[in-house]
């Protein structure tokens, strides 16, 4: 069933996003604004000025659309694995294990496949998350919501503007989606008996570990991506990825690459544990053969 993975990825992605969005908002603000002293300062000031709603800014649009990119990522990964191994998922569970290099390549393909959808959605999310009290009034009043934000971007920068920061997104997602699925599959193998499906606890642990490893590697380019996305919209203007990297390092030192790393790691474990668990549960439910079927 080639489309089951896309459906399961869609639903699991939406749930995972809803769980992790508050911490993602804090992370984005720390990466793109220098007005905060740290995580707790950002949390306190966000709550003081914006209430609980402030942590969920920019969520409405991606909770509906990030699910699409997650669907593409999981669906593309599963179908790439089927193609590269010339086997079905059920066969690989039963013992026909895929090489780790194949898992990594399929993961990289899945990362590339979802960028076209993820780029404009992530851009809108970052822009809305940065509508803070510390911004000049003309920027805080610039966007009235997700669709208005998208319309303003297209009006000011054309369709090309929807993909601002997409280069950094590709450099982040292609290798890191390979790392996303690789530790998940490897950990599941370690925690699962040969020929059996991973248990709930195994999936939770493997998903959490995969998320932490992935975001540990993705954070440096994630910082650059967020800064490029805010370029010209209240953030500093950058000419491109290289200019963003060199300017950021010159002004803030090498530690700039690790802004938001702690939050990314704290957020990554529960979000990805839940995402993988829901994905596996949905796959299992939607692919269970009907009882009492015809027998040969």
């Amino acid at each position: 069933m080639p489309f089951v993975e896309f459906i399961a990825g869609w639903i699991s992605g939406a749930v995972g996003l809803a769980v992790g969005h508050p911490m993602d908002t804090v992370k984005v603000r720390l990466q793109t604004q220098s007005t905060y002293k740290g995580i707790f300062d950002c949390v306190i000031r966000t709550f003081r000025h914006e209430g609980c709603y402030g942590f969920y800014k920019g969520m409405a649009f991606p909770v509906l659309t990030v699910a699409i990119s997650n669907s593409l990522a999981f669906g593309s990964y599963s179908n790439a694995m089927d193609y590269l191994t010339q086997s079905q998922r059920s066969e690989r569970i039963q013992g026909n294990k895929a090489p780790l290099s194949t898992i990594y390549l399929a993961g990289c393909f899945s990362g590339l496949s979802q960028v076209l959808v993820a780029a404009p959605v992530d851009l809108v999310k970052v822009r809305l998350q940065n509508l803070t009290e510390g911004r000049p009034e003309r920027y805080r009043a610039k966007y009235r919501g997700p669709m208005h934000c998208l319309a303003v971007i297209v009006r000011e920068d054309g369709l090309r503007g929807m993909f601002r920061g997409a280069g950094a997104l590709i450099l982040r997602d292609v290798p890191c989606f390979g790392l996303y699925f690789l530790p998940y599959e490897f950990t599941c193998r370690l925690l699962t008996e040969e020929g059996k499906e991973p248990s709930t606890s195994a999936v939770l642990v493997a998903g959490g570990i995969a998320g932490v490893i992935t975001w540990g590697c993705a954070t440096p380019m994630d910082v650059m991506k967020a800064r490029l996305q805010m370029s010209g919209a209240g953030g500093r203007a950058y000419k491109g990825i290289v200019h963003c990297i060199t300017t950021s390092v010159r002004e803030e030192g090498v530690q700039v690459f690790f802004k938001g790393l702690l939050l990314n790691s704290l957020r990554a474990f529960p979000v990805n544990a839940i995402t993988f668990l829901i994905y596996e549960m949905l796959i299992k439910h939607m692919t269970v053969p009907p009882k009492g079927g015809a027998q040969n």
Side-chain angles (χ1 to χ4, degrees):
M1 293 185 181
F3 295 105
V4 167
E5 292 85 356
F6 289 95
I7 297 171
W10 185 311
I11 298 171
S12 63
V15 175
L17 176 72
V19 171
H21 195 79
M23 282 189 282
D24 185 65
T25 297
V26 176
K27 176 212 66 170
V28 168
R29 292 183 176 187
L30 288 172
Q31 289 178 338
T32 58
Q33 302 180 43
S34 58
T35 57
Y36 301 110
K37 299 175 183 178
I39 295 173
F40 292 110
D41 180 49
C42 182
V43 170
I44 292 170
R45 289 170 63 181
T46 298
F47 181 76
R48 180 186 301 152
H49 295 295
E50 304 167 63
C52 291
Y53 168 74
F55 297 102
Y56 291 91
K57 277 188 174 178
M59 192 184 81
F61 187 56
V63 81
L64 298 174
T65 48
V66 162
I68 300 175
S69 63
N70 204 70
S71 168
L72 288 171
F74 275 84
S76 298
Y77 170 75
S78 182
N79 283 275
M81 286 291 290
D82 290 350
Y83 176 79
L84 293 173
T85 62
Q86 293 298 297
S87 65
Q88 297 298 310
R89 186 173 185 273
S90 58
E91 297 176 77
R92 296 192 293 275
I93 291 175
Q94 293 301 319
N96 185 21
K97 303 297 184 184
L100 296 179
S101 58
T102 300
I103 294 171
Y104 180 76
L105 287 174
C108 290
F109 173 74
S110 75
L112 182 63
S113 70
Q114 55 85 51
V115 165
L116 189 64
V117 173
V121 172
D122 194 64
L123 174 63
V124 171
K125 176 183 72 70
V126 169
R127 292 279 178 95
L128 292 178
Q129 286 174 321
N130 274 287
L131 295 179
T132 64
E133 293 296 323
R135 295 288 187 188
E137 178 62 29
R138 67 181 182 279
Y139 291 117
R140 283 189 283 128
K142 190 173 184 178
Y143 308 121
R144 295 194 295 268
M147 299 310 297
H148 181 251
C149 177
L150 196 60
V152 171
I153 291 170
V154 173
R155 185 174 68 245
E156 292 182 348
D157 302 324
L159 291 176
R160 184 180 179 182
M162 293 170 57
F163 297 92
R164 186 184 291 272
L169 186 66
I170 291 173
L171 292 175
R172 185 195 74 176
D173 282 1
V174 172
C176 288
F177 263 89
L179 290 174
Y180 185 51
F181 289 102
L182 183 60
Y184 173 74
E185 297 280 2
F186 182 73
T187 306
C188 278
R189 291 181 186 182
L190 289 178
L191 301 177
T192 306
E193 293 183 29
E194 188 71 25
K196 293 186 177 181
E197 292 191 5
S199 65
T200 297
S201 59
V203 171
L204 285 171
V205 172
I209 290 173
V212 172
I213 291 175
T214 300
W215 276 107
C217 297
T219 296
M221 195 51 65
D222 188 54
V223 176
M224 298 302 109
K225 172 198 69 69
R227 294 187 172 202
L228 287 166
Q229 288 171 327
M230 285 302 297
S231 179
R236 176 162 186 166
Y238 299 103
K239 299 175 183 177
I241 297 174
V242 175
H243 181 243
C244 182
I245 292 173
T246 54
T247 301
S248 298
V249 172
R250 184 174 64 250
E251 295 181 351
E252 301 173 57
V254 177
Q255 63 268 26
V256 69
F257 291 118
F258 303 101
K259 277 194 170 184
L261 176 61
L262 178 59
L263 268 175
N264 271 339
S265 300
L266 291 174
R267 167 180 166 270
F269 194 97
V271 167
N272 291 284
I274 291 171
T275 298
F276 270 107
L277 179 62
I278 293 176
Y279 175 79
E280 294 288 359
M281 289 174 64
L282 288 170
I283 288 292
K284 186 176 181 180
H285 176 74
M286 290 188 289
T287 57
V288 171
K291 295 181 180 179
Q295 295 181 359
N296 293 328

